[in-house]
């Protein structure tokens, strides 16, 4: 390749990079709207499904056998997650981040703090998005915690 061909090749690569950057910017903007909507759906599900169900559980178990505390978003003071404990067991947390749901539980490890265990979204209790924040799925999670 001579100098002119190399310069042309470089210009083509720059043009392709500009097009790709614009494409990625468009995708990011589209996904931002989706993520924002998912965040809202998660907050609504926490308010309508999860927290009322956990309040019922606390009533039926008794305060000495079941406790929970919501994780509140600091800007709008709405729930974005919750941590609950059954009996003397380890805490279990349901957290939402950009519409994604993460369910973790602290397990024994021989250490004082324990090791966090993350429930995969594609195995029981199958909690992976805002549509999974239902009474049935939370009940299944509590059942799994009791059985462990």
């Amino acid at each position: 390749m001579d100098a002119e061909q190399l310069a042309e090749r470089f210009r083509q690569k720059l043009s392709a990079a500009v097009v790709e950057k614009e494409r990625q910017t468009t995708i990011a903007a589209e996904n931002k709207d989706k993520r924002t909507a998912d965040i809202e759906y998660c907050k609504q599900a926490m308010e309508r499904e999860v927290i009322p169900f956990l309040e019922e559980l606390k009533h039926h178990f008794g305060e000495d056998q079941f406790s929970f505390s919501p994780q509140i978003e600091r800007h709008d003071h709405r729930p974005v997650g919750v941590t609950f404990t059954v009996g003397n067991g380890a805490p279990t947390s349901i957290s939402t981040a950009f519409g994604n749901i993460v369910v973790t539980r602290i397990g024994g490890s021989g250490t004082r703090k324990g090791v966090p265990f993350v429930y995969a979204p594609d195995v029981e209790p199958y909690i992976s998005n805002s549509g999974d924040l239902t009474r049935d799925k939370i009940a299944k999670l509590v059942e799994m915690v009791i059985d462990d």
Side-chain angles (χ1 to χ4, degrees):
M1 263 190 207
D2 64 21
E4 187 177 338
Q5 290 171 324
L6 288 171
E8 180 58 30
R9 185 174 179 180
F10 182 71
R11 281 190 289 276
Q12 289 174 353
K13 189 169 185 165
L14 282 178
S15 292
V18 168
V19 169
E20 179 62 17
K21 181 179 179 192
E22 289 172 359
R23 186 179 82 78
Q24 292 294 331
T25 300
T26 300
I27 290 170
E30 291 169 359
N31 287 340
K32 180 180 181 263
D33 293 340
K34 181 179 183 258
R35 283 192 311 269
T36 301
D38 287 346
I39 292 167
E40 182 61 26
Y41 295 142
C42 287
K43 289 178 182 179
Q44 289 174 2
M46 283 285 175
E47 290 171 331
R48 285 184 293 177
E49 298 286 330
V50 177
I51 292 179
F53 183 64
L54 294 177
E55 287 173 348
E56 283 182 44
L57 288 172
K58 185 175 180 178
H59 172 75
H60 290 289
F61 276 69
E63 288 188 26
D64 56 333
Q65 294 300 320
F66 187 88
S67 64
F68 75 95
S69 61
Q71 302 160 8
I72 305 297
E73 203 272 320
R74 67 183 181 142
H75 298 308
D76 63 6
H77 306 288
R78 294 177 64 203
V80 292
V82 66
T83 300
F84 67 88
T85 304
V86 178
N88 291 331
T92 301
S93 294
I94 303 168
S95 301
T96 63
F98 300 111
N100 297 316
I101 310 295
V102 178
V103 180
T104 57
R105 183 158 188 244
I106 303 300
S109 67
T111 66
R112 201 170 77 211
K113 291 186 176 184
V115 174
F117 171 77
V118 179
Y119 288 90
D122 57 348
V123 298
E124 278 193 312
Y126 301 106
I127 299 173
S128 64
N129 60 57
S130 61
D132 293 331
L133 293 174
T134 64
R135 296 170 72 86
D136 290 340
K137 298 260 179 144
I138 302 305
K140 180 61 180 175
L141 177 62
V142 172
E143 179 183 0
M144 291 170 67
V145 167
I146 291 169
D147 290 343
D148 280 346

